[in-house]
Amino acid sequence: MLQNENAWFVGQLPQGDKLGYEEAAMKNTDKIVHLLIADIDGKSVLEVGCGSAEFSVSASAYANNVSCIDFDAGRLGKLKENVHFQIMDASKMDFADHTFDTVVIYNAFFHIRSQWAEIEKECKRVLTENGIVYIVGTWKLDINEMVKEFGEKAKWHNQFLIVQIKK
């Protein structure tokens, strides 16, 4: 469930904000975490196509645990203790069924678009019964592909184009 998309601009950050940032100084990954907080706080989260894992690091301030996967670790930054990275093909994940409450694909749809059908099946397989997949784009390449693939299901929330897929 998306929170008020204007929350970080009017200073209405979620209760118990662990990051302590002023709204204007927040990174995009912190902003999207706050927007998706209801599906991150206290949850098990997977980031698919994590790249540098910035989203995973931001989500780790609220989630019970965060896993992130990518084809390689080349762009990976410093991870927090509760962020677990694995090199893995998103179309053939090694995770058990019903492992994650939330799956997030952040600024990676352009890179996975050719395998989307297989990746979508895998994302749904690893979701818990009431889990949700969020595809989030801020880059032109991702946005263009998301609009092509999802049409009106892709909705703008401030600077983020977001697709929600329920299991």
Side-chain angles (χ1 to χ4, degrees), residues 44-46 65 93-103 121-132 167:
S44 179
V45 177
L46 170 65
N65 63 71
M93 293 188 221
D94 295 334
F95 301 112
D97 295 354
H98 316 292
T99 302
F100 300 99
D101 300 302
T102 307
V103 174
K121 286 178 191 170
E122 279 294 281
C123 287
K124 287 180 176 179
R125 180 185 67 76
V126 301
L127 279 177
T128 57
E129 185 176 325
N130 295 312
I132 190 163
K167 189 170 181 178

Side-chain angles (χ1 to χ4, degrees), residues 16 29 68 82 99 134 142 145 149 151:
T29 54
C68 52
N82 65 336
T99 302
Y134 287 105
D142 287 310
E145 293 301 321
E149 181 70 31

Side-chain angles (χ1 to χ4, degrees), residues 23-151:
E23 302 86 52
M26 291 177 75
K27 299 184 308 185
N28 275 348
T29 54
D30 296 331
K31 291 176 183 178
I32 195 64
V33 166
H34 285 273
L35 188 61
L36 307 178
I37 196 71
D39 293 310
I40 293 175
D41 192 25
K43 308 283 184 173
S44 179
V45 177
L46 170 65
E47 181 183 7
V48 171
C50 68
S52 63
E54 282 186 59
F55 173 84
S56 293
V57 170
S58 291
S60 72
Y62 300 95
N64 276 351
N65 63 71
V66 178
S67 293
C68 52
I69 62 172
D70 208 316
F71 275 119
D72 66 58
R75 294 184 48 222
L76 201 60
K78 185 175 190 243
L79 298 180
K80 291 188 175 181
E81 194 174 294
N82 65 336
V83 177
H84 310 283
F85 172 77
Q86 290 182 273
I87 294 175
M88 191 181 301
D89 181 346
S91 67
K92 300 174 187 142
M93 293 188 221
D94 295 334
F95 301 112
D97 295 354
H98 316 292
T99 302
F100 300 99
D101 300 302
T102 307
V103 174
V104 177
I105 300 167
Y106 176 74
N107 280 338
F109 192 75
F110 178 80
H111 300 291
I112 65 169
R113 70 192 185 285
S114 64
Q115 291 183 289
W116 176 241
E118 296 88 2
I119 292 172
E120 180 181 23
K121 286 178 191 170
E122 279 294 281
C123 287
K124 287 180 176 179
R125 180 185 67 76
V126 301
L127 279 177
T128 57
E129 185 176 325
N130 295 312
I132 190 163
V133 176
Y134 287 105
I135 304 168
V136 181
T138 62
W139 297 337
K140 189 174 183 177
L141 289 172
D142 287 310
I143 290 167
N144 289 340
E145 293 301 321
M146 289 169 66
V147 169
K148 281 184 208 173
E149 181 70 31
F150 302 106

Side-chain angles (χ1 to χ4, degrees), residues 2 146 151-158 160-164:
L2 293 170
M146 289 169 66
E152 292 190 17
K153 291 180 182 176
K155 307 271 187 216
W156 283 102
H157 298 274
N158 291 324
F160 304 107
L161 185 64
I162 301 175
V163 175
Q164 297 179 56

